[in-house]
């Protein structure tokens, strides 16, 4: 059974006497994926990189005996190895492009996956072939047991050994837990930073936490985790005059900068294809001050990477909108409320939370995962005429 995105009351509201429980799954053991009703089918033609469907690659119709057999492959032959887990939908920043000033209606606490449940789903996914897990949110460091989450996930054996655990964070509070995270098995960090100007940071994030972020970046730099990446979303009229400053900052902090094209995942639904800053413009602006040399084959990496001549640094551009890399997508996402999403832009989800809480077996979980992956579309479809932004904003999906 599947459910729609229905967060609980906003924390600003008085607490509800009894928050509504999620609907209980009743249709075991057959997993279902919510049927898309509002979006025109994605056309592979919209994305030159989109895969085509092999004749007999459907992974959804499997008998219970072979649910553990073979890779987690979709109907276009893409093998899934990368799991994104959102640990919370809450954040300690209010970035104007991501969340309204008052925040969002947060998920009710009882609808958020427990650490036992996260571990169980990750264990099933590892058995199906997942080798790496990226923790995100919301802000993952807001999860009180974050170190334990990392330790428990890293203890899971995947096909290539212990799961590789990385994290995307705004770095606030990182200085307090960096050593423990590293000891728990965290292997890499991506830190989000859209501006290096403290005043602009305050306006953009609606919080005065620039120095806390800097302390987090310093802690990450002092750690043994490499490569350290900094992610910046390129935004017109917001930071498009400081791309070179951001790159200088990253070089000075021994970090690899990745610029990200802004995607239609804003809570306010005001994103516009016509005003977004695209990868070509980012590169043109950087080239005014830096000599960039393309770095070979990008493999399944979403970033096109350039060496910055005269330094040891690289800089990358993740052109998710103008140069989608859906054909190489190997990702599956688990939201904080236990919904499996086969794409950032999916309009359907598979309700693992209800399945787990209604006694579903590991085989049931695996079947639901395979069904979700089997229904994955060839591309995100942003350029399709019928494209509709997902109901969830980025912070509730996990970026
Ligand atoms: N709080 C953590 C952080 O700041 O990294 C993790 C969650 S945040 C949603 C993950 C990343 O998504 C951040 O780098 C953020 O800038 C990015 N992001 C948010 N909205 C976006 C959008 N519409 N397009 C592209 N990236 C976006």
């Amino acid at each position: 059974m599947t459910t729609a995105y229905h967060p609980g009351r906003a924390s600003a509201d008085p607490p509800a006497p009894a928050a509504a429980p999620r609907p209980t799954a009743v249709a075991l053991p057959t997993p279902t994926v919510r049927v898309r009703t509002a979006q025109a089918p994605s056309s592979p033609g919209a994305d030159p990189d989109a895969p085509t469907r092999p004749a007999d690659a459907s992974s959804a119709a499997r008998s219970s005996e072979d649910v553990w057999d073979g890779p987690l492959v979709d109907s276009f032959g893409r093998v899934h190895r990368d799991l994104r887990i959102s640990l919370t939908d809450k954040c300690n920043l209010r970035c104007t492009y991501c969340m309204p000033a008052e925040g969002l209606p947060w998920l009710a606490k009882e609808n958020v996956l427990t650490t036992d449940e996260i571990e169980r789903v990750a264990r099933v996914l590892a058995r199906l072939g997942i080798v790496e897990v990226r923790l995100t949110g919301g802000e993952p460091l807001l999860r009180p047991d974050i170190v334990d989450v990392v330790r428990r996930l890293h203890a899971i054996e995947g096909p290539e050994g212990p799961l590789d655990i990385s994290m995307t964070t705004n770095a606030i509070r990182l200085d307090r837990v960096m050593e423990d995270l590293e000891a728990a098995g965290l292997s890499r960090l991506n830190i989000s930073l859209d501006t290096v100007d403290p005043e602009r940071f305050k306006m953009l994030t609606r919080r005065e936490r620039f120095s806390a972020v800097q302390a987090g970046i310093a802690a990450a730099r002092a750690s043994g985790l490499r490569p350290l990446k900094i992610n910046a979303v390129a935004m017109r009229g917001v930071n498009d005059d400081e791309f070179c400053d951001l790159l200088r900052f990253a070089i000075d902090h021994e970090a690899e900068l990745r610029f990200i094209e802004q995607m239609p995942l804003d809570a306010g639904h005001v994103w516009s294809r016509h005003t977004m800053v695209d990868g070509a413009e980012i590169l043109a602006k950087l080239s005014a001050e830096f000599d960039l040399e393309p770095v070979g084959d990008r493999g399944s990496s979403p970033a096109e990477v350039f060496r910055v001549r005269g330094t040891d640094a690289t800089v990358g551009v993740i052109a998710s909108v103008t140069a989608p890399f859906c054909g190489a997508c190997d990702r599956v996402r688990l939201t904080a409320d236990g919904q499996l999403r086969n794409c950032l832009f999916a309009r359907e989800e598979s309700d693992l939370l209800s399945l787990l809480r209604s006694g579903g077996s590991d085989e049931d979980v695996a079947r639901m995962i395979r069904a979700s992956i089997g229904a994955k579309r060839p591309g995100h479809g942003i350029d399709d005429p019928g494209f509709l932004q997902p109901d969830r904003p980025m912070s509730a999906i996990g970026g």
Side-chain angles (χ1 to χ4, degrees), residues 91 97-98 136-140 168-170 192 194 231 233 260-263 265-266 394-395 399:
C91 191
Y97 62 94
C98 194
T136 179
E139 173 46 47
T168 299
T169 172
N170 61 29
S192 304
D194 301 318
N231 291 345
V233 179
I260 304 174
E261 284 183 346
Q262 189 176 9
M263 295 179 278
L265 287 167
D266 52 318
M394 182 71 128
S395 60

Side-chain angles (χ1 to χ4, degrees), residues 349-368:
E349 299 176 338
S350 299
D351 189 0
L352 282 178
L353 183 84
S354 293
L355 182 60
L356 294 172
R357 293 187 182 177
S358 59
S361 66
D362 283 358
E363 282 72 20
D364 296 328
V365 173
R367 256 193 301 279
M368 185 176 271

Side-chain angles (χ1 to χ4, degrees), residues 28-33 59-68 72 124 128 340 350 352 355 361-374:
L28 291 177
T30 309
T32 56
V33 175
S59 63
R62 284 175 171 260
S63 70
S64 56
E65 293 76 47
D66 69 359
V67 71
W68 301 114
L72 190 51
V124 169
L128 292 175
L340 197 74
S350 299
L352 282 178
L355 182 60
S361 66
D362 283 358
E363 282 72 20
D364 296 328
V365 173
R367 256 193 301 279
M368 185 176 271
I369 292 167
R370 284 205 186 270
S372 170
I373 298 301

